[in-house]
Amino acid sequence: MKAAVLMDYGQKVSIEDVQLKSPKKEEVLVKIKAAGVCHSDLHVVQADLPLPVPMVLGHEGAGIVEEIGEGVTHVKKGDHVVLNWVPHCGKCYYCLKGRKDMCEHAQRSAEYGTLLDGTTRFYKGEQEIYQFSMTGTFSEYTVVPANGVIPIRKDVPFPQAALVGCGALTGVGAVVNTAKVTPGSTVAVIGAGGVGLNVIQGAKLAGAVKIIAVDVVEEKFAMAKHFGATHTVNGAEDDVIDAVLELTEGRGVDYSFEVIGRPETIAQSYNVLGKCGLGVVVGVAPPNVNVSINAFSLPSQGKTLTGSWYGQSNPAIDIPMLLDLYMAEKLKLNELISKTYYSLEGVNDAFDNLAAGKIARSILTI
Ligand code: COD
Ligand code: ZN
Ligand code: ZN
């Protein structure tokens, strides 16, 4: 069986012949049909996310259930599923508080590159191969925890379904679940990539009247407008804070979203807010990075800066809901697919295109 594996840092991803163990109790074997190439996969290749290697990358994916382990009742062989890269344990402090996105057990296993029991199902000869965020969708098959598969309607094409597993859920969820954007609001979205475009369409769905897309790549602005941006700012040419203030009668926006993961754009997302504004950081900067914001403005302007992980979502409910929105033509997914590769071999080319910033998403069909 073939999988795209980062064998070591400093190398390109290679297509390897790997073996997969059978699903254990509360696990599911999935035949992957489509996988999206997200910037977080590239972050791993570029060593911005410190994870163990060798690792099967890919966390956005959809496929068909091939086999279920003991105790799995919510899916059966043949079901179509989207993979959930935060398969919560249901027992930890945060799960019990209703915050599945913050599951301690899932976060720890993702850091170790294993499934919830601390072991991995992929191997090559004697060597264990880790799985990115308990998924590993750049592979013909994968084994994931039971909560890592969300059953979906069968009339959605696999590439579009895959996109909901990270980009759409992360982006729309940041707007709807974390920020709870209200109708008539003003919004700035910094970073109009695969996830940022979903923040933009989430803001439109939520009824925002002014949606300002900020990026540094000109090609992104036509896409941003198509997804619902009312204004655009090119951060490579203009001062972002001045431009946003000018577009909002000098006040700043009600909500801002940083969808890149860089300290300077995180600071921007705070500085473009008006009084009482809420800034949501979706992008993840490397672990040793700090951000500086003006201390006086916190109490005097009552601004809030928070974060959003996996759209603060409830994947079992939110993934089917987003697919229903897509089928009702209220959520754009087709337009997110800039390029399709009909084999895993396309993965490095997809990374190059992502790094150049000119595309929204590439899809690998498997
Ligand atoms: N100012 C404005 N825009 C910029 C700047 C800048 N200084 N630098 C880059 N951009 C733009 C790029 O041109 C591009 O359009 C956009 O920012 C980034 O988009 P993509 O398509 O490259 O990235 P996404 O949308 O696939 O991913 C964004 C994330 C924020 C999810 C990702 O980068 C991240 O932080 N990942 C780590 C977090 C993580 O592991 N999440 C789990 C899975 S997503
Ligand atoms: Zn992602
Ligand atoms: Zn938990």
Side-chain angles (χ1 to χ4, degrees):
M1 175 194 91
K2 296 216 182 308
V5 185
L6 178 66
M7 292 302 288
D8 203 355
Y9 285 108
Q11 297 181 0
K12 285 197 164 231
V13 169
S14 51
I15 310 305
E16 302 284 334
D17 268 316
V18 298
Q19 293 80 45
L20 193 60
K21 292 183 181 147
S22 300
K24 292 189 186 173
K25 193 172 170 196
E26 299 286 347
E27 290 177 359
V28 178
L29 171 68
V30 181
K31 179 175 171 49
I32 300 293
K33 299 292 288 179
V37 181
C38 176
H39 209 121
S40 303
D41 301 297
L42 183 57
H43 277 309
V44 182
V45 179
Q46 294 170 333
D48 290 333
L49 289 175
L51 291 170
V53 286
M55 176 173 269
V56 181
L57 296 182
H59 58 284
E60 205 175 68
I64 302 175
V65 172
E66 184 77 15
E67 188 185 331
I68 56 171
E70 188 193 330
V72 175
T73 54
H74 74 303
V75 288
K76 59 181 184 314
K77 184 174 161 63
D79 282 355
H80 291 197
V81 291
V82 166
L83 271 66
N84 158 21
W85 58 260
V86 186
H88 66 284
C89 75
K91 298 177 189 130
C92 75
Y93 177 75
Y94 294 103
C95 278
L96 294 175
K97 273 183 85 166
R99 285 296 299 267
K100 299 180 170 75
D101 56 317
M102 289 289 125
C103 173
E104 293 172 310
H105 205 166
Q107 210 150 37
R108 200 164 43 237
S109 304
E111 280 164 24
Y112 294 159
T114 65
L115 299 190
L116 290 167
D117 73 347
T119 64
T120 169
R121 301 292 161 268
F122 284 90
Y123 63 105
K124 185 176 168 66
E126 296 292 294
Q127 190 175 28
E128 280 201 320
I129 300 182
Y130 299 101
Q131 291 175 238
F132 187 26
S133 213
M134 281 171 279
T135 45
T137 56
F138 297 167
S139 177
E140 291 176 336
Y141 293 86
T142 187
V143 171
V144 301
N147 280 334
V149 293
I150 309 298
I152 58 162
R153 50 195 286 177
K154 286 191 171 169
D155 53 356
V156 180
F158 288 109
Q160 282 79 352
L163 292 173
V164 169
C166 181
L169 191 59
T170 301
V172 176
V175 175
V176 174
N177 302 325
T178 307
K180 299 187 174 66
V181 167
T182 49
S185 306
T186 55
V187 172
V189 181
I190 305 177
V195 180
L197 291 170
N198 282 295
V199 174
I200 291 170
Q201 68 171 332
K204 187 179 176 192
L205 273 172
V209 287
K210 204 169 269 182
I211 304 173
I212 305 165
V214 181
D215 207 288
V216 287
V217 176
E218 199 58 41
E219 281 88 341
K220 287 293 162 64
F221 296 126
M223 278 189 242
K225 286 205 162 150
H226 188 67
F227 277 77
T230 55
H231 300 79
T232 60
V233 173
N234 189 334
E237 290 170 1
D238 298 316
D239 183 282
V240 171
I241 299 158
D242 286 351
V244 172
L245 289 179
E246 203 170 301
L247 288 167
T248 51
E249 290 89 44
R251 277 192 210 105
V253 285
D254 301 320
Y255 301 92
S256 70
F257 296 85
E258 198 275 0
V259 207
I260 308 162
R262 299 164 67 105
E264 59 277 19
T265 43
I266 293 171
Q268 261 173 15
S269 71
Y270 180 80
N271 290 326
V272 297
L273 290 172
K275 286 184 181 176
C276 316
L278 172 65
V280 178
V281 179
V282 178
V284 179
N288 55 350
V289 165
N290 293 321
V291 175
S292 175
I293 54 169
N294 179 266
F296 180 74
S297 69
L298 273 169
S300 66
Q301 298 182 19
K303 303 204 270 193
T304 306
L305 190 63
T306 187
S308 183
W309 188 249
Y310 208 16
Q312 207 175 313
S313 58
N314 181 355
I317 298 295
D318 295 346
I319 286 175
M321 178 269 287
L322 289 172
L323 291 174
D324 284 345
L325 281 173
Y326 165 69
M327 294 305 283
E329 297 182 6
K330 293 186 167 144
L331 188 80
K332 295 184 196 303
L333 296 176
N334 303 342
E335 297 86 343
L336 280 173
I337 305 174
S338 315
K339 205 164 162 73
T340 302
Y341 297 88
Y342 298 96
S343 127
L344 285 171
E345 313 277 342
V347 64
N348 285 309
D349 195 54
F351 280 145
D352 290 345
N353 284 328
L354 194 59
K358 307 219 165 166
I359 54 149
R361 268 285 192 271
S362 294
I363 288 281
L364 310 173
T365 58
I366 300 161

mmCIF file of all heavy atoms in Angstrom, residues 38-41 59-60 85 132 165-167 170 195 361, ligand 2:
data_model
loop_
_atom_site.group_PDB
_atom_site.id
_atom_site.type_symbol
_atom_site.label_atom_id
_atom_site.label_comp_id
_atom_site.label_asym_id
_atom_site.label_seq_id
_atom_site.Cartn_x
_atom_site.Cartn_y
_atom_site.Cartn_z
ATOM 1 N N CYS A 38 -3.349 20.972 2.911
ATOM 2 C CA CYS A 38 -3.523 22.163 3.747
ATOM 3 C C CYS A 38 -2.147 22.713 4.121
ATOM 4 O O CYS A 38 -1.156 21.992 4.129
ATOM 5 C CB CYS A 38 -4.301 21.753 5.004
ATOM 6 S SG CYS A 38 -4.524 23.035 6.241
ATOM 7 N N HIS A 39 -2.112 23.995 4.468
ATOM 8 C CA HIS A 39 -0.806 24.598 4.805
ATOM 9 C C HIS A 39 -0.207 23.961 6.060
ATOM 10 O O HIS A 39 1.005 23.982 6.242
ATOM 11 C CB HIS A 39 -0.946 26.115 4.988
ATOM 12 C CG HIS A 39 0.313 26.845 4.651
ATOM 13 N ND1 HIS A 39 0.405 27.814 3.688
ATOM 14 C CD2 HIS A 39 1.568 26.706 5.146
ATOM 15 C CE1 HIS A 39 1.646 28.250 3.605
ATOM 16 N NE2 HIS A 39 2.368 27.596 4.483
ATOM 17 N N SER A 40 -1.027 23.374 6.912
ATOM 18 C CA SER A 40 -0.477 22.738 8.122
ATOM 19 C C SER A 40 0.388 21.538 7.755
ATOM 20 O O SER A 40 1.372 21.254 8.440
ATOM 21 C CB SER A 40 -1.603 22.302 9.052
ATOM 22 O OG SER A 40 -2.371 23.424 9.362
ATOM 23 N N ASP A 41 0.044 20.821 6.681
ATOM 24 C CA ASP A 41 0.910 19.721 6.211
ATOM 25 C C ASP A 41 2.267 20.289 5.798
ATOM 26 O O ASP A 41 3.314 19.718 6.104
ATOM 27 C CB ASP A 41 0.260 19.002 5.021
ATOM 28 C CG ASP A 41 -1.099 18.414 5.363
ATOM 29 O OD1 ASP A 41 -1.147 17.524 6.228
ATOM 30 O OD2 ASP A 41 -2.109 18.852 4.797
ATOM 31 N N HIS A 59 -4.326 15.571 6.656
ATOM 32 C CA HIS A 59 -5.317 15.498 7.741
ATOM 33 C C HIS A 59 -6.704 15.874 7.236
ATOM 34 O O HIS A 59 -7.671 15.812 7.968
ATOM 35 C CB HIS A 59 -4.899 16.412 8.909
ATOM 36 C CG HIS A 59 -4.751 17.836 8.486
ATOM 37 N ND1 HIS A 59 -3.672 18.291 7.771
ATOM 38 C CD2 HIS A 59 -5.573 18.899 8.658
ATOM 39 C CE1 HIS A 59 -3.821 19.574 7.525
ATOM 40 N NE2 HIS A 59 -4.974 19.972 8.037
ATOM 41 N N GLU A 60 -6.763 16.295 5.947
ATOM 42 C CA GLU A 60 -8.055 16.643 5.347
ATOM 43 C C GLU A 60 -8.386 15.480 4.415
ATOM 44 O O GLU A 60 -7.622 15.228 3.476
ATOM 45 C CB GLU A 60 -7.844 17.944 4.552
ATOM 46 C CG GLU A 60 -9.068 18.777 4.368
ATOM 47 C CD GLU A 60 -8.751 20.096 3.676
ATOM 48 O OE1 GLU A 60 -8.393 20.081 2.502
ATOM 49 O OE2 GLU A 60 -8.867 21.139 4.311
ATOM 50 N N TRP A 85 -9.827 15.418 12.454
ATOM 51 C CA TRP A 85 -8.466 15.332 12.997
ATOM 52 C C TRP A 85 -8.368 15.692 14.482
ATOM 53 O O TRP A 85 -7.267 15.731 15.035
ATOM 54 C CB TRP A 85 -7.445 16.063 12.124
ATOM 55 C CG TRP A 85 -7.663 17.522 11.853
ATOM 56 C CD1 TRP A 85 -8.191 18.066 10.713
ATOM 57 C CD2 TRP A 85 -7.312 18.633 12.691
ATOM 58 N NE1 TRP A 85 -8.205 19.429 10.803
ATOM 59 C CE2 TRP A 85 -7.671 19.803 11.997
ATOM 60 C CE3 TRP A 85 -6.741 18.750 13.945
ATOM 61 C CZ2 TRP A 85 -7.476 21.078 12.523
ATOM 62 C CZ3 TRP A 85 -6.549 20.023 14.490
ATOM 63 C CH2 TRP A 85 -6.917 21.155 13.778
ATOM 64 N N PHE A 132 -0.091 12.007 11.011
ATOM 65 C CA PHE A 132 -0.364 13.415 11.307
ATOM 66 C C PHE A 132 -1.769 13.545 11.915
ATOM 67 O O PHE A 132 -2.762 13.165 11.305
ATOM 68 C CB PHE A 132 -0.235 14.259 10.034
ATOM 69 C CG PHE A 132 -0.334 15.749 10.279
ATOM 70 C CD1 PHE A 132 -0.001 16.319 11.495
ATOM 71 C CD2 PHE A 132 -0.744 16.593 9.264
ATOM 72 C CE1 PHE A 132 -0.083 17.684 11.712
ATOM 73 C CE2 PHE A 132 -0.833 17.971 9.455
ATOM 74 C CZ PHE A 132 -0.503 18.513 10.691
ATOM 75 N N GLY A 165 -13.406 18.579 6.057
ATOM 76 C CA GLY A 165 -12.707 17.991 7.209
ATOM 77 C C GLY A 165 -11.675 18.885 7.859
ATOM 78 O O GLY A 165 -11.294 18.671 9.007
ATOM 79 N N CYS A 166 -11.179 19.894 7.125
ATOM 80 C CA CYS A 166 -10.320 20.878 7.800
ATOM 81 C C CYS A 166 -10.698 22.296 7.374
ATOM 82 O O CYS A 166 -11.238 23.048 8.163
ATOM 83 C CB CYS A 166 -8.833 20.637 7.561
ATOM 84 S SG CYS A 166 -7.860 21.878 8.447
ATOM 85 N N GLY A 167 -10.409 22.654 6.114
ATOM 86 C CA GLY A 167 -10.547 24.053 5.700
ATOM 87 C C GLY A 167 -11.890 24.687 6.031
ATOM 88 O O GLY A 167 -11.948 25.745 6.663
ATOM 89 N N THR A 170 -12.731 24.562 9.953
ATOM 90 C CA THR A 170 -11.863 25.476 10.706
ATOM 91 C C THR A 170 -12.263 26.931 10.446
ATOM 92 O O THR A 170 -12.363 27.736 11.375
ATOM 93 C CB THR A 170 -10.384 25.253 10.283
ATOM 94 O OG1 THR A 170 -10.053 23.889 10.549
ATOM 95 C CG2 THR A 170 -9.436 26.159 11.034
ATOM 96 N N VAL A 195 -8.047 28.240 4.165
ATOM 97 C CA VAL A 195 -8.863 28.391 5.373
ATOM 98 C C VAL A 195 -9.479 29.797 5.425
ATOM 99 O O VAL A 195 -10.660 29.967 5.751
ATOM 100 C CB VAL A 195 -8.037 28.080 6.646
ATOM 101 C CG1 VAL A 195 -8.905 28.230 7.893
ATOM 102 C CG2 VAL A 195 -7.456 26.663 6.584
ATOM 103 N N ARG A 361 -6.802 25.541 -2.741
ATOM 104 C CA ARG A 361 -6.532 24.182 -2.265
ATOM 105 C C ARG A 361 -6.192 23.276 -3.443
ATOM 106 O O ARG A 361 -6.765 23.431 -4.522
ATOM 107 C CB ARG A 361 -7.787 23.590 -1.614
ATOM 108 C CG ARG A 361 -7.893 23.809 -0.126
ATOM 109 C CD ARG A 361 -6.948 22.884 0.619
ATOM 110 N NE ARG A 361 -7.230 22.868 2.034
ATOM 111 C CZ ARG A 361 -6.706 23.700 2.943
ATOM 112 N NH1 ARG A 361 -5.859 24.627 2.584
ATOM 113 N NH2 ARG A 361 -7.025 23.597 4.219
HETATM 114 ZN ZN ZN B 2 -5.645 21.872 7.897
#
